[in-house]
Every structure is written in structure tokens, then in C-alpha cells.
Amino acid sequence: QVQLVESGGGLVEAGGSLRLSCAASGSGFAIGKMGWYRQAPGKQRELVASITIAAITDYSDSVKGRFTISRDNAKKSVNLQMNSLKLEDTAVYYCYANVVLPLPRRDYWGQGTQVTVSL
């Protein structure tokens, strides 16, 4: 059984920084792509950033140049460094991991961590 545990959310002023972390626990599995989604009140969940096992990254246009995703394959963890935070970054952030082995592939999700950006 794969579990994703997130940490690092909180309250920050606009222009500030936060770092989110997510680690996968369990054994006997291999992870492919990992990443972060977010969901703001009244809005659909949207992809923030993703990273492959080869460290190829992808970002939504709204966070490019401000957020940086990284991962540690040995620790099965993924981080999201968020700089120059804006009010519109306020959301619940969810970590995900695409487990590629054992088959069939499936996605796992963290419980979510609240990020609130204030004036």
C-alpha cells in the first residue's frame, strides 16, 4: 500500500515563500511521474507542476519562474519550492505519484495541505 504524506503548507504574506514536501511510504513499488495539483475554493483541481524520474519538469503557465519542483528518487519524495507567492496561489495543494510497478499503473494522492497567501 502506497501512502503519500505532505508537509509544509501554511500562511504566508504575498511575495513570500513556502516549500512543500511529499514522501511516499510503503515498499515493493516503483514511481514514475510525481507532481503537485492544487484546488482553490469553487475551482477545479489544476496541475501545478510535475517531474519525471529523469527530472524532466513541467509547469503551469501561472507558476513558471516562481515555483520549482524537485524530487529525490531514492527517498521517493517530491518538493515544491514556491517563491513570489500571490493571492491567487491560495489553494489546497495535493501531491501525486504515478506508481508504475506493480501493474496496473495507478495514481496515488496525498491528503492535501493548505496554502494561504495574504496581503
Side-chain angles (χ1 to χ4, degrees), residues 16-94:
S17 299
L18 280 176
R19 183 178 176 86
L20 304 182
S21 296
C22 173
S25 63
S27 62
F29 62 92
I31 298 175
K33 187 176 289 187
M34 301 185 79
W36 295 88
Y37 277 73
R38 67 185 181 187
Q39 187 167 20
K43 295 188 177 181
Q44 289 190 329
R45 191 174 292 192
E46 62 171 352
L47 176 66
V48 176
S50 65
I51 184 168
T52 70
I53 197 167
I56 297 170
T57 58
D58 186 33
Y59 296 92
S60 71
D61 288 342
S62 61
V63 306
K64 279 180 183 176
R66 300 188 298 120
F67 291 11
T68 302
I69 190 170
S70 60
R71 68 186 283 173
D72 185 326
N73 291 330
K75 294 182 179 180
K76 295 179 179 174
S77 63
V78 62
N79 300 305
L80 186 68
Q81 178 65 42
M82 304 185 294
N83 299 328
S84 302
L85 282 160
K86 303 177 180 180
L87 295 178
E88 52 264 41
D89 294 319
T90 295
V92 178
Y93 284 70
Y94 297 91

